Structure formats: C-alpha cells, structure tokens
Amino acid sequence: MRGPLSLLCLPCAGASAAMYLRWRRFLPPWLRIVPVELPGRGARMGEAFVEDFDAMVARICTEQADAMHGDFAIFGHSMGALLAQGVTRRLQASRRPMPRALLVSGCAAPTRRDPERFAGGEDDGSLIAELRKQGGTPEEVFASDELMRITLDTLRADRRVCRSHDARATAGAPPLPLSLHAFAGRQDDIEAQAMAAWSKETAGAFTLDWFEGGHFFLRQHETEFLAALARHLPTHLHAH
C-alpha cells in the first residue's frame, strides 16, 4: 500500500493558507492536505511579502521541494490557481517530478486573463470595495482595525503578484502531461470560456465542474465541492 497523496493548497489573494486547515476534517484519510503559507501572512507574518509572480513561484518550488516528491497534487483558488499553474510549469521546465494532477478554482485560464482585472486603485477604500464584491471575507475582519490592516496589506501585495504574471512566458511550452481539473461558481464574474480555456494547458484529462455561488462557491458549498475535489484525485493509488 502506498502512503497518502499530498495535496498542496495555495491561497487566494489577501488570504492565509489557514483557509484550508478545516478541509482535513472532511476529506478521506488517503488525502493529506498541505497548506502552503506564503511569506508575509499567517505563521510567516514577520517576513517580507513577495510581490513578483516569478519570484513567488520560484520560492514555492524551493520551499516545498520535500512535499513535491512521491504522490502529490497541487490545488489553488483564484491567485492560488495562477500560482499552482506557475509552479507546475516550473517543475516541468526544470524536469522535476510532476504532480499527479493540477486543480484550479475560481480563476480564468492564464491565456484568457483580463489584463485590466488588477488595474484598479490600491488605496484602502478600493481594496475594501473589492473584498466586499468578492465575498468570502468574514464580517469580524471588517470590524477589526488590526485584521483589516493585515488583510489589506496582504491583498495589495498579492495584486502586484497577479499583475506581474505574464502568460507569454510559457506560451511556447508543451502542454502539461497530467490531468487538470477546474472548478467555478456560476455567479462569479469569470466567463465560462475563460474557465474552459484551462483545457488548452494540458495533454491529459480535463474536467470543469460548476457550482452555485460566486467567487467563494467553495465555501458556500463546501461539502459538495470537497466531494468533487476528492473524486478527481487518483484514489486507486492509495489505501482506503
């Protein structure tokens, strides 16, 4: 029998990887959740933010080298999906072991991203309006000056990460030799074609699951989402 499949989970903009800790209670024992904490947040609050996409991807590949051995998969939501794809591309380019699957949620395919999406203001008012629009931020964060400051500083840095992403950097790369599974909310403002375009990233199997809800459908319909997530991972490799 093989050990568990490690699922590295990358957070969305403005968030800590702690958002994934609760999943451990709902997923089967053959799946090991590995929340990937980025610099400047959570347990790494004292570290400087990384504000460049390629630098962040390189950092993740170095720091998570031990977790990216054996049986593993990579998941990311929103900004995390973009980073998950960047990490997988970097592993491919450097001929390192590849994940069993890439799972992306709430994010347009790299080739279909709207360049204006992160062109708005970075003042506190604009960022608070964005948090309100996307949903997913607990009311207690808005009610606390300290939590709001942390969230806004993190979101501001993460917007720069997203803005510095250049889809042309991997334009000539071969498709990824793995299965790719995408998840989306029907009421999110990402176009269906932009989600479907993830299929162009892979030479393997592709699925696209839709859920009711907006950008944070994975919280609004957590049980249903986690069931789909587990269903798309290669359970036949592991002890049940």
Side-chain angles (χ1 to χ4, degrees), residues 17 59 64 80 87 91-92 95 107 109 120 125 136 145 173 181 188 201-202 205 210-211 240:
R59 188 90 170 257
Q64 299 298 324
V87 166
L91 294 176
Q92 179 188 37
R95 300 182 184 279
C107 180
D145 289 345
H181 306 289
D188 200 352
E201 294 290 312
T202 179
W210 289 93
F211 299 84
H240 288 264

Tab-separated table of all heavy atoms in Angstrom, residues 17 59 64 80 87 91-92 95 107 109 120 125 136 145 173 181 188 201-202 205 210-211 240:
chain	number	residue	atom	x	y	z
A	17	ALA	N	-2.948	30.501	4.110
A	17	ALA	CA	-3.244	29.104	3.776
A	17	ALA	C	-4.047	28.415	4.869
A	17	ALA	O	-4.531	27.296	4.676
A	17	ALA	CB	-1.937	28.349	3.518
A	59	ARG	N	10.110	30.642	-5.237
A	59	ARG	CA	10.186	30.467	-3.785
A	59	ARG	C	9.382	29.238	-3.349
A	59	ARG	O	9.838	28.431	-2.527
A	59	ARG	CB	9.624	31.744	-3.137
A	59	ARG	CG	9.773	31.867	-1.661
A	59	ARG	CD	11.080	32.553	-1.295
A	59	ARG	NE	11.047	32.844	0.128
A	59	ARG	CZ	10.814	34.056	0.635
A	59	ARG	NH1	10.651	35.092	-0.154
A	59	ARG	NH2	10.793	34.231	1.932
A	64	GLN	N	8.896	24.115	-0.951
A	64	GLN	CA	8.025	22.936	-0.893
A	64	GLN	C	8.641	21.727	-1.589
A	64	GLN	O	7.925	20.763	-1.907
A	64	GLN	CB	6.659	23.260	-1.518
A	64	GLN	CG	5.907	24.379	-0.820
A	64	GLN	CD	5.569	24.036	0.624
A	64	GLN	OE1	5.264	22.893	0.957
A	64	GLN	NE2	5.629	25.047	1.493
A	80	GLY	N	-4.216	31.662	-6.106
A	80	GLY	CA	-3.576	30.378	-5.843
A	80	GLY	C	-3.577	29.468	-7.058
A	80	GLY	O	-2.640	28.688	-7.272
A	87	VAL	N	3.807	27.045	-10.702
A	87	VAL	CA	4.674	26.063	-10.046
A	87	VAL	C	4.790	24.802	-10.906
A	87	VAL	O	5.874	24.267	-11.113
A	87	VAL	CB	4.126	25.719	-8.637
A	87	VAL	CG1	4.796	24.474	-8.066
A	87	VAL	CG2	4.322	26.902	-7.689
A	91	LEU	N	8.139	23.217	-12.561
A	91	LEU	CA	8.572	21.826	-12.362
A	91	LEU	C	8.820	21.150	-13.712
A	91	LEU	O	9.808	20.429	-13.888
A	91	LEU	CB	7.499	21.049	-11.576
A	91	LEU	CG	7.237	21.478	-10.127
A	91	LEU	CD1	6.084	20.667	-9.548
A	91	LEU	CD2	8.481	21.325	-9.263
A	92	GLN	N	7.905	21.394	-14.657
A	92	GLN	CA	8.042	20.819	-15.999
A	92	GLN	C	9.325	21.315	-16.669
A	92	GLN	O	10.103	20.518	-17.215
A	92	GLN	CB	6.827	21.199	-16.837
A	92	GLN	CG	6.859	20.682	-18.273
A	92	GLN	CD	5.722	21.267	-19.115
A	92	GLN	OE1	5.359	22.434	-18.950
A	92	GLN	NE2	5.146	20.471	-19.999
A	95	ARG	N	12.440	19.815	-15.215
A	95	ARG	CA	12.432	18.345	-15.261
A	95	ARG	C	12.362	17.709	-13.879
A	95	ARG	O	12.963	16.665	-13.628
A	95	ARG	CB	13.656	17.811	-16.032
A	95	ARG	CG	13.719	18.295	-17.462
A	95	ARG	CD	14.893	17.721	-18.226
A	95	ARG	NE	14.987	18.279	-19.563
A	95	ARG	CZ	14.272	17.892	-20.603
A	95	ARG	NH1	13.377	16.928	-20.459
A	95	ARG	NH2	14.430	18.452	-21.785
A	107	CYS	N	-10.569	30.945	-11.241
A	107	CYS	CA	-9.518	31.712	-11.920
A	107	CYS	C	-9.584	31.445	-13.420
A	107	CYS	O	-9.644	30.286	-13.840
A	107	CYS	CB	-8.149	31.299	-11.381
A	107	CYS	SG	-6.743	32.155	-12.124
A	109	ALA	N	-8.239	30.906	-17.158
A	109	ALA	CA	-7.008	30.312	-17.679
A	109	ALA	C	-5.991	31.417	-17.965
A	109	ALA	O	-6.383	32.539	-18.328
A	109	ALA	CB	-7.319	29.527	-18.950
A	120	GLY	N	-7.106	48.446	-11.050
A	120	GLY	CA	-7.796	49.424	-10.198
A	120	GLY	C	-6.919	49.995	-9.102
A	120	GLY	O	-5.744	49.655	-8.976
A	125	GLY	N	-9.733	52.172	0.417
A	125	GLY	CA	-11.141	52.181	0.019
A	125	GLY	C	-11.424	51.267	-1.153
A	125	GLY	O	-12.409	50.503	-1.149
A	136	GLY	N	-16.598	36.307	0.877
A	136	GLY	CA	-15.585	35.394	1.409
A	136	GLY	C	-14.786	35.941	2.576
A	136	GLY	O	-14.089	35.187	3.244
A	145	ASP	N	-9.866	46.751	13.181
A	145	ASP	CA	-8.854	47.571	12.500
A	145	ASP	C	-7.583	46.771	12.240
A	145	ASP	O	-6.973	46.879	11.166
A	145	ASP	CB	-8.508	48.807	13.351
A	145	ASP	CG	-9.664	49.813	13.381
A	145	ASP	OD1	-10.578	49.675	12.541
A	145	ASP	OD2	-9.643	50.719	14.237
A	173	ALA	N	5.543	26.634	-24.295
A	173	ALA	CA	5.789	25.395	-23.550
A	173	ALA	C	4.811	24.307	-23.987
A	173	ALA	O	3.670	24.599	-24.352
A	173	ALA	CB	5.650	25.650	-22.055
A	181	HIS	N	-8.052	19.685	-13.460
A	181	HIS	CA	-9.450	19.778	-13.052
A	181	HIS	C	-9.749	21.198	-12.594
A	181	HIS	O	-9.079	21.722	-11.707
A	181	HIS	CB	-9.736	18.769	-11.941
A	181	HIS	CG	-9.353	17.373	-12.314
A	181	HIS	ND1	-10.046	16.641	-13.253
A	181	HIS	CD2	-8.310	16.590	-11.923
A	181	HIS	CE1	-9.476	15.456	-13.404
A	181	HIS	NE2	-8.415	15.404	-12.613
A	188	ASP	N	-19.952	33.772	-10.313
A	188	ASP	CA	-18.684	34.504	-10.344
A	188	ASP	C	-18.650	35.315	-11.636
A	188	ASP	O	-19.381	35.017	-12.588
A	188	ASP	CB	-17.507	33.520	-10.297
A	188	ASP	CG	-16.201	34.172	-9.855
A	188	ASP	OD1	-16.164	35.416	-9.738
A	188	ASP	OD2	-15.216	33.440	-9.641
A	201	GLU	N	-4.197	23.887	-21.481
A	201	GLU	CA	-2.954	23.786	-20.711
A	201	GLU	C	-2.456	22.356	-20.568
A	201	GLU	O	-1.318	22.140	-20.179
A	201	GLU	CB	-3.154	24.374	-19.304
A	201	GLU	CG	-3.422	25.860	-19.264
A	201	GLU	CD	-2.192	26.678	-19.641
A	201	GLU	OE1	-1.106	26.403	-19.116
A	201	GLU	OE2	-2.337	27.590	-20.480
A	202	THR	N	-3.331	21.388	-20.833
A	202	THR	CA	-2.969	20.006	-20.520
A	202	THR	C	-3.088	19.065	-21.716
A	202	THR	O	-3.936	19.272	-22.595
A	202	THR	CB	-3.844	19.469	-19.363
A	202	THR	OG1	-3.485	18.110	-19.101
A	202	THR	CG2	-5.329	19.533	-19.709
A	205	ALA	N	-6.289	14.397	-19.135
A	205	ALA	CA	-7.734	14.556	-18.932
A	205	ALA	C	-8.042	15.957	-18.412
A	205	ALA	O	-7.256	16.543	-17.674
A	205	ALA	CB	-8.230	13.507	-17.947
A	210	TRP	N	-19.014	22.986	-12.303
A	210	TRP	CA	-19.671	24.247	-11.947
A	210	TRP	C	-20.488	24.069	-10.675
A	210	TRP	O	-21.129	23.031	-10.470
A	210	TRP	CB	-20.595	24.697	-13.078
A	210	TRP	CG	-19.853	25.164	-14.279
A	210	TRP	CD1	-19.496	24.421	-15.371
A	210	TRP	CD2	-19.351	26.485	-14.516
A	210	TRP	NE1	-18.805	25.210	-16.269
A	210	TRP	CE2	-18.700	26.472	-15.777
A	210	TRP	CE3	-19.390	27.682	-13.793
A	210	TRP	CZ2	-18.098	27.602	-16.322
A	210	TRP	CZ3	-18.790	28.814	-14.323
A	210	TRP	CH2	-18.148	28.766	-15.575
A	211	PHE	N	-20.475	25.110	-9.847
A	211	PHE	CA	-21.231	25.111	-8.592
A	211	PHE	C	-22.050	26.383	-8.499
A	211	PHE	O	-21.675	27.416	-9.062
A	211	PHE	CB	-20.278	25.047	-7.382
A	211	PHE	CG	-19.439	23.800	-7.352
A	211	PHE	CD1	-18.255	23.731	-8.081
A	211	PHE	CD2	-19.840	22.699	-6.620
A	211	PHE	CE1	-17.480	22.582	-8.077
A	211	PHE	CE2	-19.073	21.539	-6.607
A	211	PHE	CZ	-17.895	21.480	-7.335
A	240	HIS	N	-7.432	2.658	1.184
A	240	HIS	CA	-8.726	3.289	1.523
A	240	HIS	C	-9.007	3.118	2.999
A	240	HIS	O	-8.530	2.201	3.625
A	240	HIS	CB	-9.855	2.663	0.702
A	240	HIS	CG	-9.799	3.074	-0.725
A	240	HIS	ND1	-10.534	4.126	-1.254
A	240	HIS	CD2	-9.070	2.594	-1.759
A	240	HIS	CE1	-10.269	4.250	-2.543
A	240	HIS	NE2	-9.385	3.336	-2.858
